[in-house]
Amino acid sequence: MSQAIRRATELALDETTVTALRAALKTTADEVVQAIIDEVPSYANALSGRMGGTIRRAVRTALGHYLDLASGNATGGDAGDAAYELGRGEVRDGRSMDALLSAYRVGARVAWRGLAAGAVPAGLPAAEVAKFAELTFAYIDELSAASAAGHADELAARGLAHERHLEQLARDLLSGAGSDVLLTSAQRAGWQPPVSLTAVLLPSAQARPAYRVLDPSTLVLDDLPDALGVLLVPDADRAHLLRQLTDRTAVVGPARPWTRASASYERAVRARSLSVDIRDTEDHLPELVLSADVDAFADLRTRALAPLRALPDSTARKLEETLRAWLLHHGRREEVATTLFVHPQTVRYRMSQLRELFPDLGSPQRVLELTLAVGLRLS
C-alpha cells in the first residue's frame, strides 16, 4: 500500500490522538456497517446474522490496521491481503465489484466522519487533520484496488474452470458416456441440457470463430485429431445453421437427443471421410448407408457384377453405366438414353447384352443387389 504508507510518513499522530481514535473505533465500525446496509442495496441482507458479525469484525480490523498505519506501526500488507480476499469472496457470493466499491465509498465517508470526530477534540492541528484526511482516502483507494484485483482474479479463475467443465462435458458427449455421467457433467458445468444437439465438424482454426455466431449454449472443442474441431449446437434450426456456416468448411450431422450427441458426431466424421465436399449429411444418406461397412459393399459389388468381369474393361464400364441408368430410371428407355447421351437403340442393344449376362434380371432380389451395387460409386 505504497501511497497510503507515503501519506502516513507525512503524518505525525501523537499517542493522545491515537488513543482517542481507538476509543471511537467500535462505534465508528458499527456506523460504517449500518451505513452500508442503509445505502448499498446489495448488502441489505448480507450483513445480518452471523455474516453481519463477521463483517463488523472485519471492518474493525481494517480500521484498527489503519490506525496502526497512521501511527507508523504497520506496513499495510495484511490489510491489502484481506481486501484482496474480500474481492474474491464477493464473486463467490454473487455480487458485482460495483456493489463493493459503493460499500467502500460509503465506508470511507462514514469512517472519516467518525475518526475526525475523535481526532479534532484530541487537539490534532488543522494541518495534520488535512493530512489525516488524505491518508484516510488513500488507504480506502488502495483497499478498493486490492479488492478489485481479487474480484477480477476470481472471475478469471472461475471462467477458466467453467470453460474446462464445458469442454469436459463436450468430451463426455462425444465419447457416448451414459446418462448419469452426462447429467453430472452438465450440472458441474452449469449447462442447461437442450432437447437435441447437432454436431458440426470443421477445421480447428474455424471452430472458435464459428462458435461466436451460434447459440451461446453451443459446446465447442478445437483440439480433435487431424486438426479438427467440433461444435455441438443445441436445438438447431437446420436450414438457419447451414446458412450460418456457408463460408465454413463444415460437415453438419443430424440432430439427435442431447444424450446421443455422439451419434451425430460419428455420422459427421464418417461423411467427411467419404468426401470433403459433403456439408449436410442429410443430403447423403444413401452413401452413408452403403459406406457403413465398406468391405460388405465391396463384396456385394464383386458378387453382383461378377458376369461383367469376363468382358473387356471398356465394354464392362459401358454396360455397368447402362445398367445403373436402367435401374435408376425404372427401365424407361428414353430417359436412360438421355442420361447416357446415346440413341435409344443403343440402350436397347446394351440391355439385350445385359439380359444375357443376368438371366434373372427381373428377380426382385437381383434388382435389389444390382441397384445397391451400381447405384453409387464409393471411393
Side-chain angles (χ1 to χ4, degrees), residues 65-253:
H65 192 276
Y66 164 75
L67 290 181
D68 290 340
L69 185 65
S71 60
N73 295 320
T75 63
D78 292 342
D81 292 344
Y84 178 87
E85 291 302 323
L86 178 59
R88 294 184 62 198
E90 292 299 277
V91 175
R92 300 187 193 107
D93 291 338
R95 283 187 291 274
S96 69
M97 192 58 207
D98 288 342
L100 183 55
L101 291 178
S102 294
Y104 271 126
R105 285 193 293 271
V106 170
R109 187 188 73 241
V110 175
W112 167 243
R113 185 177 62 205
L115 292 173
V120 173
L124 189 66
E128 294 303 306
V129 170
K131 293 178 183 178
F132 192 32
E134 290 177 357
L135 172 62
T136 301
F137 291 101
Y139 182 76
I140 293 297
D141 282 348
E142 294 187 14
L143 288 182
S144 299
S147 289
H151 196 276
D153 287 351
E154 182 69 14
L155 280 177
R158 287 186 166 230
L160 182 59
H162 183 237
E163 186 172 338
R164 287 174 177 168
H165 288 321
L166 288 173
E167 288 181 358
Q168 185 57 51
L169 171 59
R171 295 185 197 282
D172 289 342
L173 285 163
L174 295 188
S175 70
S179 297
D180 290 345
V181 172
L182 293 177
L183 285 170
T184 299
S185 189
Q187 289 171 356
R188 186 181 298 115
W191 185 79
Q192 180 62 42
V195 174
S196 69
L197 284 172
T198 299
V200 177
L201 193 66
L202 68 179
S204 57
Q206 296 183 20
R208 295 285 172 180
Y211 161 75
R212 286 194 286 270
V213 302
L214 299 176
D215 186 305
S217 296
T218 296
L219 300 173
V220 58
L221 288 175
D222 58 4
D223 58 354
L224 300 181
D226 300 322
L228 291 175
V230 66
L231 304 171
L232 297 176
V233 187
D235 297 330
D237 178 323
R238 192 173 194 83
H240 181 60
L241 176 60
L242 287 164
R243 287 195 298 272
Q244 288 178 301
L245 297 169
T246 297
D247 297 327
R248 309 287 180 189
T249 309
V251 181
V252 181

Side-chain angles (χ1 to χ4, degrees), residues 227-301:
L228 291 175
V230 66
L231 304 171
L232 297 176
V233 187
D235 297 330
D237 178 323
R238 192 173 194 83
H240 181 60
L241 176 60
L242 287 164
R243 287 195 298 272
Q244 288 178 301
L245 297 169
T246 297
D247 297 327
R248 309 287 180 189
T249 309
V251 181
V252 181
R256 287 292 179 263
W258 79 274
T259 56
R260 294 187 56 238
S262 59
S264 180
Y265 169 67
E266 288 163 5
R267 182 175 295 180
V269 169
R270 196 146 53 82
R272 190 177 185 279
S273 72
L274 293 179
S275 171
V276 295
D277 295 326
I278 292 179
R279 287 181 51 77
D280 186 354
T281 57
E282 298 298 281
D283 290 340
H284 298 271
L285 293 179
E287 294 98 320
L288 288 164
V289 169
L290 293 178
S291 66
D293 186 336
V294 176
D295 288 341
F297 180 66
D299 290 345
L300 173 64
R301 276 185 58 84

Side-chain angles (χ1 to χ4, degrees), residues 325-340:
W326 184 81
L327 289 166
L328 296 180
H329 290 286
H330 304 286
R332 292 189 286 271
R333 190 186 310 165
E334 295 293 334
E335 293 180 19
V336 173
T338 299
T339 297
L340 298 176

Side-chain angles (χ1 to χ4, degrees), residues 46-67:
L47 301 184
S48 61
R50 180 180 298 178
M51 179 60 72
T54 300
I55 295 296
R56 284 177 172 82
R57 285 191 296 275
V59 171
R60 285 199 295 270
T61 298
L63 290 175
H65 192 276
Y66 164 75
L67 290 181

